[in-house]
Amino acid sequence: MAILLQAKDRLLSRLKSLTKIQLKQRFNHTLEPQMCREMCSDSFNQEVDVSNWKTVDSRNLGITRAMIPQPSWVVLKILKSQGFQAYLVGGCVRDLLLRRVPKDFDVITTANLKQIRRQFHRSEIIGRRFPICRVHIKGSVIEVSSFETVAKHGEGKETVLLSQIPYGCDEIDLVRWRNSIHRDFTINSLFFDPFLNKIYDYANGISDLRCLKLRTLIPAYLSFTEDCARILRGLRIAARLGLSFCKDIDTAMHSLSSSIERLDKSRIMMELNYMLSYGAAESSICLLRRYNLLKILLPFHAAYLDQQAGKITAENPMMLMRLFFNLDKLVSCDRPADYTLWVGLLSFHQALVSDPQDAFVVWVFASVLYHGKWKEGVKFARDRAKEPVKFVPEISGFSEIESDEQLAVKVTELALSVQDCVNDLTKVFVSKKIERNVQQIFDVLVNSIESYNSGKRSHIIDYDMLGKGNLVETRFVLGKIILKTISGGLVAGEEEIDEEEMPEVLDKDSVENYLAKKNRKRGLQPSSAELKLKTAKKCKWTEKFSSINHELSMNKEDVVPKEEVEEIHKAVKNCQLPDKELKVRTTEKHKWIENSCHFDQELSINEELVQKEGSQQLGEETQKAAKTCQSPEEEIKVNPEKILEKKDRHSLSTEGTNKKRDKQKRADDKKKNGLLLSSLFKEK
């Protein structure tokens, strides 16, 4: 009977497990999202599997606390000093592992949001669904989240009983694990403790980074259903880091691409800005088009790309992709642009497609924005625009317009057309405020274009002002991108502008240092300036070492000769000298060294005095020396006191200073000799 009951229990347990497995295999396509989450909650009720949990020494992966910016480090230290656990989390840990510059450094702590706000004077809590505390410190804004926020949000979705916690799993491990399973991707679920130099990985995120693979923590269909913004975020991360999608994500993105229409305009704008303003615009556009998202976000440009897809050649590239390619060359995560720049580029391109322009008009349009002055812009365009630009359908042809008045009318008409295209983007995601800000970029080409003067003095990009949306800086960079693009239609012209305008990309480094860095990345030979810099450093070190060697050689004269040291060393080993005799000889040697130094010093002082006494005094001393059949030098050596009595007060003060310096030198030499002899005593 007992055997039958056991068999029955085993059969029931197997049926339950099989049912769960079948449901999990089908829930992506057959179950509602709420049912899927209930299914996952059943799995959370089981014992926690810690086999995939890893704690890695960050130093072994090349990450140290020195890589953390000062504002983030201050926030971490303040929270830690108040008894809270604090970690870096998310994309910053991922980027540090990939040797990339993080966009920002997010902090997570065991303190709740009110406790966080009390620790910092300038801080505020924002957000409704997932509130965070924004801390303003040292000119930066650090986003600090709380473990408690995620725990409350996930309350009821997973229950882990204390009795089910595995052996060796403490409470803080459980807190970190529960937070990690609510994140979007495995590579964003890493925690870095800079105080202990440890990285906590609960979902094989480090392994996925090594494979350059993007994977969700829960099934992708469920993850994107809960938050469709994760689709845009996944595309952005993959575009910037060059990651590949697993099959699960690829299928879910195709199936749920239309769900992003439910997002607010502000959220779409934020995600697009992260894609296009941080150095991955071209690859982001390609991925948006691949997953049919470009038709939803930018329908006009999606239709343009579909139309031009079969016409792309080396001689006829797509102007839109060239514009974003040149944008990516100027911005990056640590030097981002404002949204007005890429919105202006989209509007400019749409205006050209809708109403193709003469190439020379486009040259002048971009050149005036770049130079900030009408006359200089026109002159630059007339000097450079010698050959036609082959962009179809954006460029209608090339004809150099003779009259500046007629040219100003054409440029103004193009600027008005661009402003109208900005208005078209407001139907999708651009707000009225953004529309006004972008239209102001082209106001100078509409109102009094011939008297326009931006006031910008240099051709160096001010990335701080560019990131803040400064109109002058945005116009300058916009004109630069367009100039590079229209000259890029011709290979020779592109190379010419690259060589001449590459220095203008920099904001702090010199021109040659920038070229040297680019050459190192491309495997090219170092520039002449880099070689000069290396040569100068080498000469500097050579001079330093030569001076050190000179000082050593000067000091060698006052040190016991090497032969005598060897003799003393040999005598000590053979026990030929008693300790007393050795000490006596050592003392005599020190006295001899001191007397020698003192005598040399007096001799040098007396020689200076002889030169100062003048020809009359020298003659008297010479006659005196002749009577005694001695040379002046011998007389000085015999009777130095007579010369010393004739010194004035200035020479006496100089002598005192020299004696003080020489006394210190003799003391140092005596110390060296003492150390040398003490080592011999020890060996004995």
Side-chain angles (χ1 to χ4, degrees), residues 126-234:
I126 61 171
R128 294 181 180 179
R129 188 180 179 190
F130 289 100
I132 61 172
C133 186
R134 298 184 64 187
V135 178
H136 300 263
I137 185 168
K138 294 191 175 183
S140 301
V141 179
I142 310 300
E143 294 185 354
V144 184
S145 58
S146 173
F147 284 109
E148 184 183 83
T149 303
V150 177
K152 287 181 178 180
H153 181 76
E155 193 172 311
K157 295 182 179 179
E158 81 279 350
T159 57
V160 182
L161 301 178
L162 293 177
S163 60
Q164 295 174 334
I165 299 176
Y167 177 76
C169 173
D170 56 15
E171 185 177 353
I172 190 61
D173 266 326
L174 185 62
V175 170
R176 289 191 296 258
W177 171 76
R178 290 182 65 183
N179 184 274
S180 68
I181 62 177
H182 287 284
R183 296 192 171 271
D184 47 9
F185 303 103
T186 57
I187 60 176
N188 290 341
S189 64
L190 302 171
F191 299 87
F192 173 37
D193 187 345
F195 303 99
L196 300 177
N197 292 310
K198 289 184 179 180
I199 295 178
Y200 300 96
D201 181 8
Y202 299 98
N204 286 327
I206 295 177
S207 177
D208 289 340
L209 276 178
R210 287 172 178 165
C211 300
L212 294 178
K213 181 183 293 185
L214 193 67
R215 188 168 57 87
T216 54
L217 285 103
I218 59 176
Y221 193 94
L222 175 61
S223 179
F224 297 156
T225 302
E226 286 187 342
D227 186 3
C228 58
R230 290 176 176 175
I231 298 175
L232 296 176
R233 198 178 309 138

Side-chain angles (χ1 to χ4, degrees), residues 665-681:
K665 183 178 179 182
R666 289 196 299 272
D668 294 338
D669 296 335
K670 185 176 180 181
K671 187 176 180 181
K672 292 179 183 179
N673 296 330
L675 292 173
L676 178 63
L677 294 172
S678 63
S679 63
L680 295 176
F681 292 140

Side-chain angles (χ1 to χ4, degrees), residues 31-74:
L31 297 181
E32 294 297 326
Q34 182 63 29
M35 295 177 64
C36 296
R37 175 51 82 181
E38 291 174 358
M39 280 282 305
C40 291
S41 67
D42 290 339
S43 65
F44 289 131
N45 287 327
Q46 307 300 319
E47 289 189 3
V48 182
D49 181 15
V50 298
S51 60
N52 292 329
W53 294 11
K54 297 180 181 65
T55 301
V56 185
D57 191 328
S58 63
R59 292 167 293 188
N60 295 337
L61 300 175
I63 300 179
T64 62
R65 67 181 63 179
M67 298 179 177
I68 304 174
Q70 188 65 18
S72 300
W73 178 244
V74 170

Side-chain angles (χ1 to χ4, degrees), residues 51 271 410 438:
S51 60
E271 293 294 341
K410 292 287 185 179
V438 177

